[in-house]
Amino acid sequence: MVVGLNRLSRSASLKRLSLSLLNISLPCNQSYICVLHYNSFIKILISVVERLCLELSESLESKITKLVIKQALEDWLSLNPSDVVIVGAGPSGLTAAKYIAEKGLKVVVFDRRLSFGGGIGGGSMLFHKLVIEEEAQDILRDFDIRYSKGEDTLYVVDAAEFMAKLAAGAIEAGAKILLGITVDDVIYRENPLRITGVAIQWSAVIMSQLHVDPLLISSKAVVDATGHDAEILSIVSRKIPEFNLIVSGEKSVFVELSEKEVVQRTGRVVPGLYVTGMAVAQPYNLPRMGPIFGGMLLSGRKVAEAIIEDIAFSEKAATVAKENGNKSDPAKQNLNITLEVL
Ligand code: 48F
């Protein structure tokens, strides 16, 4: 049996396509009739189909999609549960993330925006410089952030370098920063009353005002690093009155007082929930401070130290309880001791 290839390839361009797919060059032009034996024709047809399938299934486009979905899901699976969830990738949240992650704890930072740095990017009324006090100099060094001497005990940093290196420091220490995600609620438990995680949603979904249920991430500690609005504390204050958490709001500018008090008041607010950065001003009615950022760094480091200590203490307490053993229900006893500490 013989087949005329030009019958299959009715137009010249289709014929050229067939030949290029086969990757062969036949001695034929547009008017030439190629006569092939049946077996050869079938072989060619199979190889065309195989080649088409290969190109469709392993196209670069499909590889990109597979890689992104697979690796993103691996990350998502590994971060639930986390040791610490930090809400807000501003200066205080990023500083806390680095120091906590350095201790080997699993840290995830969520920010609703598609960038990190919080209020840093805007500099000081859009001038790209920020001021840091001497007390926070060692934190700048830990993050390898360059600074120049200003006046007295004040130093100056470049806004872009400041935010980039804070984020790089947190990531290199092992923290995961996920952008475009809004924390819109917390998870809580009773007996003892405590915060045990967060509810998250794509910021794009929230902006589109679609009714979509969130996902839930469990953690040993949640940190409100959301800045001036103290969004997580506000949610807890409004939705879980049993905590008696009052968020009275921040006061007007008083730099010296604010820088000192924000750091002093940084720490645990209710079991499982911590506050750092400007969010500290809300529950304690503290003044704001403008474009001086030493307090944010010191507050971030302080909250990290508090969480590391609390988690270590609760784990130790759980081990001791296990060793001493509550014969009737040791698991329950361990859990209660752990939760009372956090
Ligand atoms: O505001 P922000 O920079 O907080 P901060 O670490 O630093 C305050 C300074 O920037 C400045 C100041 C210092 O002198 O007064 O204002 O306390 O960063 C807060 C981050 O949290 C994100 C927000 O997008 C920002 O990047 N954020 C706020 N609410 C949520 C959130 C939320 N519900 N879910 C996720 N991210």
Side-chain angles (χ1 to χ4, degrees):
M1 183 179 173
V2 292
V3 185
L5 189 60
N6 67 332
R7 275 206 215 138
L8 293 171
S9 319
R10 287 192 187 279
S11 72
S13 61
L14 191 55
K15 188 193 291 179
R16 272 199 299 279
L17 175 71
S18 311
L19 294 174
S20 73
L21 282 170
L22 294 172
N23 209 11
I24 55 172
S25 65
L26 291 176
C28 58
N29 58 33
Q30 289 181 14
S31 58
Y32 201 91
I33 297 173
C34 298
V35 180
L36 300 169
H37 287 285
Y38 177 79
N39 283 351
S40 311
F41 171 69
I42 293 296
K43 272 188 198 156
I44 288 168
L45 204 59
I46 289 170
S47 88
V48 169
V49 171
E50 274 176 359
R51 199 167 171 134
L52 274 172
C53 288
L54 203 70
E55 287 192 5
L56 283 178
S57 67
E58 290 191 12
S59 65
L60 183 55
E61 289 83 350
S62 112
K63 278 184 193 161
I64 291 168
T65 307
K66 266 192 223 160
L67 281 174
V68 168
I69 292 178
K70 186 168 173 287
Q71 299 216 2
L73 289 185
E74 277 168 13
D75 278 359
W76 276 100
L77 288 174
S78 89
L79 60 82
N80 186 30
S82 282
D83 290 315
V84 184
V85 167
I86 298 176
V87 191
S92 62
L94 292 174
T95 306
K98 172 187 165 71
Y99 290 117
I100 299 170
E102 265 176 4
K103 295 288 172 194
L105 294 170
K106 198 192 291 178
V107 184
V108 58
V109 184
F110 293 116
D111 201 293
R112 68 150 55 99
R113 304 194 312 184
L114 292 180
S115 59
F116 46 71
I120 298 174
S124 309
M125 208 191 80
L126 293 184
F127 290 108
H128 64 284
K129 297 288 177 186
L130 297 163
V131 174
I132 313 270
E133 308 89 317
E134 193 170 36
E135 292 91 317
Q137 223 183 352
D138 56 332
I139 302 180
L140 292 179
R141 284 198 218 102
D142 284 351
F143 281 89
D144 197 24
I145 295 164
R146 292 171 299 176
Y147 50 86
S148 55
K149 183 132 176 58
E151 276 182 37
D152 308 323
T153 55
L154 299 177
Y155 293 83
V156 180
V157 293
D158 189 278
E161 176 172 349
F162 190 39
M163 61 201 270
K165 288 195 173 166
L166 283 177
I171 292 165
E172 273 166 22
K176 182 67 70 184
I177 303 175
L178 295 179
L179 302 172
I181 294 168
T182 298
V183 173
D184 77 344
D185 210 339
V186 294
I187 310 171
Y188 79 104
R189 290 287 183 274
E190 294 168 334
N191 304 317
L193 189 61
R194 63 205 187 272
I195 301 298
T196 60
V198 294
I200 55 169
Q201 182 57 272
W202 305 117
S203 300
V205 168
I206 291 179
M207 289 165 79
S208 67
Q209 297 188 327
L210 290 173
H211 181 171
V212 181
D213 268 328
L215 279 176
L216 310 161
I217 306 287
S218 298
S219 65
K220 294 175 184 161
V222 173
V223 184
D224 187 336
T226 62
H228 294 272
D229 293 332
E231 289 194 22
I232 309 307
L233 299 187
S234 303
I235 290 168
V236 171
S237 161
R238 196 176 68 248
K239 296 178 88 168
I240 319 175
E242 297 90 320
F243 278 121
N244 290 320
L245 177 61
I246 295 162
V247 178
S248 44
E250 68 176 23
K251 283 187 177 156
S252 297
V253 181
F254 185 162
V255 176
E256 221 169 321
L257 181 64
S258 176
E259 281 291 270
K260 202 169 76 191
E261 290 276 316
V262 160
V263 181
Q264 250 171 35
R265 301 286 194 137
T266 291
R268 190 164 66 129
V269 190
V270 300
L273 179 61
Y274 297 74
V275 66
T276 183
M278 269 326 290
V280 177
Q282 286 276 353
Y284 302 112
N285 197 215
L286 304 178
R288 58 188 300 205
M289 78 284 281
I292 181 159
F293 276 66
M296 298 299 103
L297 303 182
L298 292 165
S299 170
R301 185 170 66 183
K302 190 176 173 194
V303 85
E305 288 164 355
I307 290 170
I308 291 162
E309 198 178 314
D310 284 356
I311 289 180
F313 188 79
S314 70
E315 280 169 4
K316 209 167 165 187
T319 311
V320 171
K322 204 174 182 179
E323 280 165 9
N324 293 341
N326 173 347
K327 301 277 185 298
S328 60
D329 192 353
K332 198 170 171 191
Q333 192 196 27
N334 293 343
L335 181 70
N336 281 339
I337 289 172
T338 305
L339 296 172
E340 271 157 27
V341 172
L342 278 179

